[in-house]
Amino acid sequence: MKILKIQALRGPNIWSIQRKKLIQMRLDLEEMEQFPTNKIEGFRERIEALLPSMIEHRCPEGVRGGFFSRIERGTWMGHVIEHIALEIQTLAGMETGFGRTRETKTPGVYNVVFSYVEENVGLFAAESSVAIAEALIAGKPYDIDADIQKMREIRERVRLGPSTGSIVEEAVSRDIPWIRLGTNSLVQLGYGVNQMRFQATITCKTSNIAVDIACNKEETKRMLDMASIPVASGGICVDEEDLENVIKKIGFPIVIKPLDGNHGKGASINVKNLDDAKAGLAYAKNYSRRVIVEKFITGYDFRVLVIDNKLVAAAKREPAHIKGDGIQTIQQLIDETNKDPRRGYGHENVLTEITVDRDTTDLLDKKGYTLETIPQKDEIVYLKSTANLSTGGTSVDVTDMMHPENIFLCERISRVIGLDVCGIDIMAENLTQPLKETGGCILEVNAAPGFRMHLAPSEGLPRNVAAPVIDMLYPPGKPSRIPIIAITGTNGKTTTTRLIAHIVKNNGFRVGFTTSDGIYVQNHMMEKGDTTGPISAEYILKDPTVEFAVLETARGGILRAGLGFSRCDIGIITNIQEDHLGLSDIHTLDELARVKATVVKSIKKEGWAILNAEDEYCLKIANELDCNIAYFAMDENHPKALQFAKEGKIVAVYENGFITIKKGEWKIRVERATHVPLTLGGKAKFMIANVLAATLASYLYGFKTEDISLSLQTFIPSAAQTPGRMNIFEFKKFKVLIDFAHNPAGYKGVSEYLSSVEATKKIGIIAGVGDRRDEDIKECATLAANMFDHIIIRQEKYLRGRTEEEIIGLIMQGIKESGKAITYEIIAKETEAIKHAIDNAEEGSFITALSDVVTNAIEIVQGYLDKEQEENL
């Protein structure tokens, strides 16, 4: 078997709108296409032995063991690989269960689709599942445990930590979208101007000064002491002389820890003599040049969490330890403790496995123990000097046991330091009595406290400490999203997008929009190129200045990675025509419609889908939608337009020369088409269709019709405003039109416009696109032959796997099939073709360049026009 391609879908996609995280693997079964599982001797027994837990896979039978029964009866290897990929992720601690396997038009080639929790793990699982299947087919042994451990390691390397993850989960539960910014724990909640950012548990509201204070343990102690808050006595050391001076002041026992440390790294506790103190100083200096030395306070280690100056949780922490039984060694007891199902690798479970490190051996040395020592029955042996969960510690929730005076003290500390999310470490006998009575004190204040001990304590009530963070970032009434209008279809997407963006901008919003020629914010081009995929959409949604997003959404991005947004307010399908067929397993218009439908299926329930009432595929899509639907039609008397209006639906039509919105018996005439520059005096009919869609979207969003009308009148088609969309350049003796038409539907639109153009001679410059079907290239050439008197064929770009000669041959064949006696010539380079046409243009002629490289064509023609105007000055 051969993996042809693996890609991660990260947003709503053709396989599922709800399940946004899917791996799609294109797999060639090769000779295994002839060998379903019932023809592979012993296959069921081997897979059942290797992955016995797959008995829980029910498959279509819907019963336990259904998958194994399916294997017994016979199923193809793509289906088996889908299930293996799901199961090994689950065994690695990432439970997931959605999958689909479908054969493509190419015999033996399948799309194997399955869900994932972590993308990098999902990609690994795709390759691993194929390797496992091949080993099972061949009857060879396979170390599946190594793959599962590898997936765990990948997950720990790339996943969000438990604190960050809990905040994201709480946001998702409140329907707040999120975007991971990079590969670390920096996360954006919300879109555009309504975004909030956080990293670990530091939020965009966290004071930079407060973080600096909290990170400086010396400064923290000084400020707390000045505020009459009990702290441990001690000082800062950089060498042994400093160490001895501090010890003289405070005496033994002491605690030594790095001034800039975290997670308990480099700390030594309950140090009782000078030699151990010097060793502890050297150890701490591995982590920080300056070291803090404090009086060792007896009692228990507590962590109190204060968010937005309100106490939300408190936990009693205990370092990793074992309890002797008088029989087993310390190492054996560690191994036994790690078998607790609550313990896992890294952060995968409530507790972390205990590992032996220098801190462990140092503590054992002080007791005269080794890992082979057998502790007495019920003896507690501590294995870490700090109580961090990440080193195997445990926690007990004590929130409800805190004395009111201690609550007041902790909330005051958060204000003294100035932290919005504040972790306070306390050493005391208990928190049920005021610290001033128990002699307890504040050890330190943390600016990025971990949530794990509160989210899932070893004992006691779990606390949803992520909720108050979201409450703080998004108080009631604060929006997290911005309006999104998404436009898809075969033709007219870019113009419709730009027109809507113009209307939105004129209504006072700072608009960000994506098109096939670039990404724009308030008409400023931010990135140049075909930017109609999910990365470009995300670019706009990440921009903190954008108040409204208008996103052109093309098929390529949907197929490659899904949508770049979780849902939209309004979705538009302009039309579904023959284009890009034969690519990415899309061979028919029904299949293309399924791709385009992804956009309108992602519309929120109370949002609007805007569909072309004259397009049969749009009408089919309408039956699958769960949102409001409105329609547009060029022919006001089209049966479907009449039917929908009669049913009370909102319909935009081209009526008696007006852009009109109808519902039932009433109508609103928004503007006369001839007053809309984009329609070229009403002659460009396909432009009128774009105006109808844009007008309807603007009306349904809630803009006033008079404001829409003004925007329609002020949107001037030009190389700057609508590059490559019916750009007309008027020379003294002739005219040049540049349009991006590259498929039969686009050619028909240009042909309809040219039929109303008076010219002594109509000259066309055309080319083919290599990844289109033969019949599409030939049809475009046939249409060109019927609209031009002379054709210039050029072909230097977009060969896409074909030769220049092959594409030109198809164009010439299409011209011939038109049956029209027409002259043509071949000038391969576009620049030369355009220059030749202009240099040889007769008076009154009309040159049309149907260009797939719009920028080059516009620059050439504009250069000629500028030169002519200079000569006439």
Side-chain angles (χ1 to χ4, degrees):
M1 295 180 288
K2 184 194 300 179
I3 297 173
L4 303 178
K5 182 170 66 174
I6 304 175
Q7 58 194 34
L9 307 177
R10 305 178 189 96
N13 54 78
I14 62 171
W15 302 100
S16 175
I17 298 299
Q18 290 75 33
R19 297 177 182 88
K20 302 174 179 66
K21 298 166 69 171
L22 299 176
I23 297 295
Q24 180 177 329
M25 173 168 57
R26 189 174 171 85
L27 181 67
D28 187 351
L29 296 188
E30 297 180 315
E31 67 272 10
M32 292 312 300
E33 173 67 2
Q34 309 306 319
F35 293 93
T37 52
N38 60 336
K39 291 187 178 181
I40 305 171
E41 188 176 345
F43 187 84
R44 173 179 174 161
E45 290 74 17
R46 290 195 292 275
I47 192 170
E48 202 165 354
L50 185 67
L51 292 162
S53 53
M54 289 180 78
I55 194 168
E56 300 299 337
H57 291 219
R58 296 172 175 261
C59 246
E61 286 80 354
V63 296
R64 191 169 185 265
F67 176 64
F68 288 146
S69 298
R70 181 78 180 270
I71 285 177
E72 189 73 30
R73 294 199 312 273
T75 187
W76 271 262
M77 205 50 62
H79 181 221
V80 174
I81 287 167
E82 168 204 322
H83 278 264
I84 293 174
L86 292 170
E87 184 60 18
I88 59 177
Q89 289 183 87
T90 298
L91 292 172
M94 290 156 279
E95 190 165 347
T96 188
F98 175 83
R100 294 284 184 272
T101 298
R102 298 289 182 267
E103 189 173 16
T104 68
K105 286 286 193 298
T106 307
V109 175
Y110 292 76
N111 278 316
V112 179
V113 178
F114 58 88
S115 53
Y116 65 85
V117 175
E118 292 293 339
E119 183 177 311
N120 287 17
V121 174
L123 295 170
F124 178 89
E127 295 187 357
S128 174
S129 60
V130 174
I132 291 168
E134 288 177 329
L136 289 168
I137 292 166
K140 294 179 179 178
Y142 192 91
D143 187 355
I144 197 166
D145 291 336
D147 280 8
I148 290 170
Q149 179 59 23
K150 178 70 174 176
M151 286 190 282
R152 285 176 174 158
E153 291 170 3
I154 294 171
R155 177 200 58 205
E156 290 304 304
R157 191 170 65 245
V158 302
R159 75 184 299 188
L160 294 173
S163 302
T164 309
S166 70
I167 298 172
V168 167
E169 286 173 14
E170 180 65 23
V172 170
S173 74
R174 301 187 189 195
D175 196 32
I176 297 171
W178 68 285
I179 301 171
R180 190 170 184 176
L181 304 175
T183 57
N184 55 18
S185 57
L186 181 60
V187 171
Q188 172 185 316
L189 299 177
Y191 290 152
V193 293
N194 294 323
Q195 68 181 262
M196 288 288 180
R197 296 176 185 170
F198 72 96
Q199 184 162 22
T201 56
I202 293 179
T203 78
C204 52
K205 288 179 171 288
T206 303
S207 161
N208 187 47
I209 292 176
V211 173
D212 279 348
I213 293 170
C215 289
N216 186 327
K217 293 179 173 65
E218 183 181 19
E219 182 69 15
T220 299
K221 280 183 63 177
R222 188 185 65 79
M223 289 188 68
L224 294 181
D225 188 40
M226 289 173 61
S228 303
I229 294 166
V231 294
S233 57
I236 303 299
C237 301
V238 295
D239 55 30
E240 291 184 0
E241 183 181 348
D242 291 340
L243 175 67
E244 292 178 24
N245 289 334
V246 172
I247 292 172
K248 284 179 185 177
K249 289 181 184 177
I250 65 175
F252 289 108
I254 60 172
V255 175
I256 304 170
K257 54 189 175 183
L259 183 64
D260 305 320
N262 57 35
H263 299 298
K265 293 175 182 174
S268 301
I269 65 169
N270 199 15
V271 177
K272 297 178 179 178
N273 59 67
L274 188 58
D275 288 340
D276 287 347
K278 290 178 179 179
L281 175 67
Y283 181 41
K285 291 195 73 171
N286 290 326
Y287 297 91
S288 173
R289 188 181 70 84
R290 302 174 75 206
V291 173
I292 191 164
V293 178
E294 294 176 335
K295 185 73 175 177
F296 176 62
I297 308 296
T298 58
Y300 296 102
D301 184 339
F302 294 96
R303 163 63 66 80
V304 176
L305 182 62
V306 180
I307 296 174
D308 202 16
N309 305 126
K310 297 180 184 67
L311 186 140
V312 297
K316 176 183 172 184
R317 303 188 295 178
E318 194 163 15
H321 63 275
I322 50 92
K323 186 176 183 180
D325 61 3
I327 300 170
Q328 300 183 84
T329 66
I330 291 174
Q331 183 63 63
Q332 288 171 329
L333 290 167
I334 291 173
D335 294 340
E336 195 65 30
T337 302
N338 283 338
K339 290 179 182 178
D340 184 339
R342 295 177 302 167
R343 291 192 183 270
Y345 180 82
H347 292 147
E348 70 180 357
N349 286 345
V350 175
L351 300 174
T352 299
E353 293 173 348
I354 300 171
T355 58
V356 175
D357 59 12
R358 183 233 156 118
D359 190 22
T360 308
T361 55
D362 282 353
L363 287 173
L364 294 178
D365 285 344
K366 288 176 183 177
K367 292 177 69 72
Y369 287 1
T370 70
L371 291 170
E372 300 308 313
T373 300
I374 299 175
Q376 295 180 12
K377 190 173 188 331
D378 296 330
E379 179 186 357
I380 301 295
V381 178
Y382 287 101
L383 304 168
K384 302 292 177 184
S385 58
T386 61
N388 296 81
L389 265 67
S390 58
T391 59
T394 56
S395 68
V396 178
D397 179 71
V398 295
T399 308
D400 296 331
M401 302 177 191
M402 282 193 71
H403 191 280
E405 190 166 318
N406 290 336
I407 294 174
F408 168 77
L409 181 73
C410 291
E411 291 180 346
R412 186 161 173 262
I413 289 170
S414 74
R415 291 184 183 275
V416 168
I417 303 301
L419 288 169
D420 59 336
V421 180
C422 180
I424 302 165
D425 289 344
I426 301 174
M427 183 65 70
E429 287 299 321
N430 60 65
L431 294 182
T432 58
Q433 297 174 272
L435 292 189
K436 64 185 179 184
E437 294 181 11
T438 63
C441 69
I442 308 304
L443 297 181
E444 62 184 62
V445 178
N446 296 274
F451 286 0
R452 187 179 173 204
M453 71 188 77
H454 308 296
L455 294 165
S458 314
E459 297 177 37
L461 188 67
R463 306 283 172 172
N464 181 6
V465 294
V469 175
I470 299 298
D471 291 339
M472 176 179 66
L473 297 177
Y474 288 99
K478 177 177 171 59
S480 62
R481 297 175 181 267
I482 60 174
I484 297 175
I485 298 179
I487 301 93
T488 193
T490 304
N491 294 303
K493 297 187 296 294
T494 301
T495 302
T496 304
T497 298
R498 283 180 166 276
L499 178 54
I500 293 173
H502 177 74
I503 296 169
V504 170
K505 180 174 177 289
N506 284 357
N507 276 273
F509 288 91
R510 182 174 289 273
V511 62
F513 60 100
T514 61
T515 70
S516 57
D517 53 80
I519 301 173
Y520 297 81
V521 175
Q522 283 296 86
N523 287 346
H524 296 277
M525 180 184 277
M526 313 308 295
E527 294 285 337
K528 187 176 182 179
D530 187 350
T531 56
T532 55
I535 293 175
S536 305
E538 199 171 87
Y539 182 106
I540 290 296
L541 299 176
K542 288 193 293 191
D543 191 303
T545 70
V546 171
E547 299 170 330
F548 202 121
V550 184
L551 307 173
E552 180 180 347
T553 309
R555 52 166 286 288
I558 298 172
L559 290 170
R560 186 171 57 252
L563 298 179
F565 48 88
S566 55
R567 69 164 184 258
C568 56
D569 298 81
I570 296 175
I572 300 172
I573 301 182
T574 57
N575 46 63
I576 296 173
Q577 305 286 337
E578 293 185 340
D579 192 22
H580 296 99
L581 297 183
L583 300 174
S584 303
D585 298 319
I586 305 301
H587 298 274
T588 68
L589 285 174
D590 278 317
E591 291 169 339
L592 183 60
R594 179 170 160 244
V595 177
K596 304 290 186 184
T598 304
V599 171
V600 289
K601 286 181 179 179
S602 71
I603 298 169
K604 64 183 184 181
K605 193 174 181 67
E606 65 273 23
W608 287 89
I610 296 175
L611 305 176
N612 189 332
E614 297 172 303
D615 190 302
E616 62 175 301
Y617 297 96
C618 284
L619 297 176
K620 289 180 183 177
I621 290 170
N623 297 324
E624 305 170 18
L625 302 183
D626 186 27
C627 62
N628 298 307
I629 305 174
Y631 298 87
F632 67 94
M634 283 294 293
D635 179 5
E636 68 164 321
N637 294 314
H638 188 280
K640 286 295 181 181
L642 294 172
Q643 174 193 328
F644 294 142
K646 189 175 181 181
E647 291 173 353
K649 293 182 173 66
I650 298 175
V651 185
V653 294
Y654 180 45
E655 169 263 337
N656 289 326
F658 283 89
I659 305 298
T660 300
I661 296 173
K662 295 176 63 177
K663 182 179 180 182
E665 297 300 318
W666 59 258
K667 63 176 67 172
I668 302 172
R669 286 181 169 177
V670 179
E671 189 51 75
R672 187 180 290 277
T674 54
H675 293 174
V676 181
L678 192 58
T679 70
L680 302 182
K683 294 177 182 178
K685 301 297 183 187
F686 61 95
M687 283 296 188
I688 296 176
N690 297 334
V691 173
L692 288 171
T695 299
L696 188 52
S698 306
Y699 172 78
L700 291 172
Y701 181 75
F703 296 139
K704 295 178 181 178
T705 52
E706 55 264 38
D707 292 334
I708 298 171
S709 171
L710 182 61
S711 295
L712 295 179
Q713 294 177 61
T714 56
F715 187 73
I716 312 297
S718 64
Q721 187 83 289
T722 56
R725 274 73 186 176
M726 299 300 286
N727 301 149
I728 297 178
F729 301 81
E730 296 199 22
F731 288 79
K732 188 175 181 181
K733 295 183 178 180
F734 57 89
K735 295 179 182 178
V736 177
L737 166 68
I738 296 176
D739 192 80
F740 189 60
H742 57 279
N743 56 44
Y747 271 54
K748 287 174 184 175
V750 173
S751 178
E752 186 177 8
Y753 169 72
L754 288 179
S755 66
S756 64
V757 170
E758 298 264 345
T760 56
K761 189 174 185 180
K762 295 177 182 177
I763 301 164
I765 303 171
I766 68 171
V769 180
D771 60 4
R772 301 307 195 268
R773 300 176 303 175
D774 288 3
E775 56 264 41
D776 295 330
I777 297 173
K778 287 190 289 185
E779 185 179 354
C780 285
T782 300
L783 289 166
N786 285 309
M787 68 172 114
F788 300 123
D789 302 310
H790 178 73
I791 291 176
I792 299 173
I793 303 170
R794 56 101 193 156
Q795 194 66 51
E796 61 175 316
K797 304 277 187 180
Y798 294 89
L799 300 179
R800 295 175 181 174
R802 295 185 189 254
T803 64
E804 187 178 311
E805 292 74 17
E806 183 183 359
I807 297 174
I808 290 174
L810 289 168
I811 292 172
M812 293 170 64
Q813 191 177 336
I815 293 172
K816 185 178 180 182
E817 289 176 3
S818 72
K820 184 179 176 185
I822 183 172
T823 58
Y824 63 84
E825 57 188 313
I826 300 171
I827 302 176
K829 289 190 175 182
E830 180 179 46
T831 54
E832 299 302 322
I834 293 174
K835 288 176 181 178
H836 174 77
I838 292 176
D839 288 340
N840 294 279
E842 300 171 10
E843 187 166 351
S845 60
F846 196 99
I847 301 167
T848 301
L850 301 180
S851 175
D852 48 24
V853 193
V854 171
T855 307
N856 288 2
I858 289 173
E859 288 175 353
I860 296 164
V861 177
Q862 188 64 55
Y864 267 88
L865 187 59
D866 291 344
K867 185 178 178 181
E868 181 182 275
Q869 290 172 349
E870 288 172 6
E871 291 172 352
N872 291 332
L873 290 177

